[in-house]
Amino acid sequence: MPAMQITLTRPDDWHLHLRDGAALAAVAPYTAERFARAIIMPNLNPPVTTVADAEAYRQRIMQALPDHSDFNPLMTLYLTDRTRPAEITAAAEHPHVHAVKLYPAGATTHSDAGVTDINLAMPALEKMAELDIPLLVHGEVTRAEVDMFDREHVFIDEVLTPLLERLPRLRVVFEHITTAAAVEFVRDSDHRIGATITPQHLLYNRNALFSGGLRPHMFCLPVLKRERHRAALVEAATSGNPRFFLGTDSAPHPRHAKESACGCAGIFSAHCAIELYAEVFEHAGHLDRLEGFASHHGADFYGLPRNNDTLTLVRESWQPPATLPMGDETLVPLRADETVIWRIPREARVF
Ligand code: DOR
Ligand code: ZN
């Protein structure tokens, strides 16, 4: 009997880390084989803070893609305390810059140049509201005394709620949400707010960090939360509500940087991302809603056309390898040496 399959409008990834140089060349093909477009995070070192930086980075991405690829990288700027309103105006006029990312300083990988006080970024944020450039937020406060597992909730109360009251027209994507509080906030808000949800936050709870020992490859930020939060995320993603859409936060780090006394945050999922979302939707009994989440809601939120082509997924098990090459180094991908139950057709595969 032929394996069951589903065909979707080709999906997009609304939150992706591609890095630069040899790492970029190593990881970009996995996303390009699956997704038509991706919102590219600007947390390089140094960060992508100007339209000129974003355009130069986009050229490097295009050069790193396989010849046959029609992948379209959607660029973002990294908001700092000093981002000038004129840079926002330039972004609004540029065909390849689609959003601006807020990293609270110190929140995560390469966030040192991020915003230290939201009031300092207000001139740029006001211009974004005026010109309708979406703000993408890493929604965690960074104060050392706030519990790691509460940082998203506290961010909603201390930063996001006042920001939306002050700038009610600002379009916001609450990135990689991890808690029931964030689900409720996005679902019930009167504002123009959407949210991305990663595969790891839909599939795993915080026990995955400690199963049989410390698991550095399951560490990302915001950190995995307890089971009731995972369940709330699955409910939101599979509900059909257009405010929730796909964003992998796939974030490659070399193996040694994660298997370290102070391991980096980031989970690499680009090699099986849409396949893992299919697993989540199948287990929730809502495979019919995968297309909305993966292929429609994000494009609609960003005001971009939905894709015209399709991607077919086959219900066939396979195992991602233990490691993948990353320039001169290797990375350990999500589900390494474990089973993934959906797969993309042979002609689209990198391995
Ligand atoms: O786990 C994460 N990794 N969270 C982030 O916010 C950044 C990302 C990275 O760039 O590695
Ligand atoms: Zn990210």
Side-chain angles (χ1 to χ4, degrees):
M1 208 174 65
M4 183 171 95
Q5 58 180 51
I6 51 168
T7 297
L8 312 170
T9 301
R10 185 132 167 248
D12 302 302
D13 183 349
W14 299 98
H15 185 130
L16 178 68
H17 298 269
L18 282 182
R19 314 302 191 207
D20 214 342
L24 164 63
V27 301
Y30 298 110
T31 294
E33 302 290 9
R34 289 164 176 78
F35 297 97
R37 299 170 288 196
I39 283 278
I40 309 300
M41 287 297 130
N43 64 331
L44 302 183
N45 193 12
V48 177
T49 55
T50 66
V51 170
D53 293 343
E55 186 52 42
Y57 183 30
R58 188 171 190 277
Q59 294 304 322
R60 298 198 295 281
I61 296 169
M62 297 307 280
Q63 278 162 19
L65 291 169
D67 289 341
H68 64 270
S69 178
D70 56 359
F71 178 70
N72 183 6
L74 310 176
M75 308 310 291
T76 61
L77 300 188
Y78 185 114
L79 188 68
T80 73
D81 292 345
R82 292 169 305 284
T83 301
R84 291 175 307 119
E87 201 63 51
I88 302 300
T89 305
E93 288 165 1
H94 196 280
H96 297 139
V97 179
H98 293 270
V100 176
K101 177 75 189 268
L102 163 64
Y103 288 102
T108 188
T109 305
H110 297 161
S111 62
D112 300 350
V115 173
T116 61
D117 175 351
I118 192 86
N119 292 314
L120 296 173
M122 209 41 78
L125 292 165
E126 282 167 357
K127 187 55 85 177
M128 289 168 60
E130 179 192 328
L131 299 179
D132 200 16
I133 306 262
L135 177 72
L136 316 183
V137 297
H138 182 111
E140 290 190 288
V141 295
T142 56
R143 294 198 315 282
E145 70 273 18
V146 181
D147 190 285
M148 275 298 282
F149 294 89
D150 297 336
R151 288 180 180 193
E152 185 171 277
H153 200 151
V154 175
F155 182 89
I156 294 171
D157 295 342
E158 290 189 0
V159 183
L160 198 49
T161 301
L163 178 65
L164 289 170
E165 272 164 21
R166 182 155 173 188
L167 297 174
R169 287 165 60 202
L170 186 65
R171 207 147 35 124
V172 172
V173 182
F174 197 166
E175 300 287 347
H176 43 54
I177 58 170
T178 64
T179 57
V183 166
E184 272 166 42
F185 183 80
V186 170
R187 195 189 52 210
D188 300 339
S189 175
D190 294 332
H191 295 283
R192 305 164 75 200
I193 184 164
T196 54
I197 311 181
T198 77
Q200 62 265 25
H201 293 105
L202 291 167
L203 286 163
Y204 301 99
N205 64 37
R206 65 194 193 176
N207 284 355
L209 281 160
F210 308 106
S211 89
L214 191 58
R215 300 282 184 175
H217 298 292
M218 297 307 296
F219 175 52
C220 64
L221 287 170
V223 71
L224 296 171
K225 303 297 191 302
R226 54 168 75 240
E227 175 60 17
R228 86 176 169 85
H229 297 293
R230 188 196 70 82
L233 295 170
V234 170
E235 211 285 315
T238 63
S239 68
N241 185 329
R243 290 184 175 219
F244 300 103
F245 42 90
L246 185 157
T248 63
D249 200 18
S250 180
H253 289 274
R255 179 178 190 159
H256 68 81
K258 292 201 53 83
E259 297 176 8
S260 148
C262 186
C264 295
I267 294 179
F268 183 77
S269 62
H271 63 298
C272 64
I274 188 65
E275 296 91 323
L276 291 181
Y277 285 108
E279 182 175 320
V280 170
F281 279 69
E282 180 188 328
H283 286 158
H286 290 304
L287 211 41
D288 56 317
R289 295 185 185 159
L290 176 62
E291 185 177 44
F293 178 80
S295 316
H296 297 162
H297 301 167
D300 297 352
F301 187 88
Y302 275 85
L304 293 169
R306 296 176 181 181
N307 296 313
N308 291 319
D309 49 346
T310 60
L311 179 76
T312 294
L313 294 169
V314 184
R315 183 71 166 72
E316 193 178 281
S317 293
W318 60 288
Q319 292 198 328
T323 61
L324 293 172
M326 183 180 174
D328 293 337
E329 324 219 41
T330 60
L331 67 83
V332 177
L334 186 55
R335 288 274 166 94
D337 269 342
E338 294 177 33
T339 300
V340 174
I341 61 175
W342 287 90
R343 84 181 299 176
I344 58 171
R346 190 170 304 279
E347 60 276 12
R349 281 180 220 154
V350 178
F351 49 77

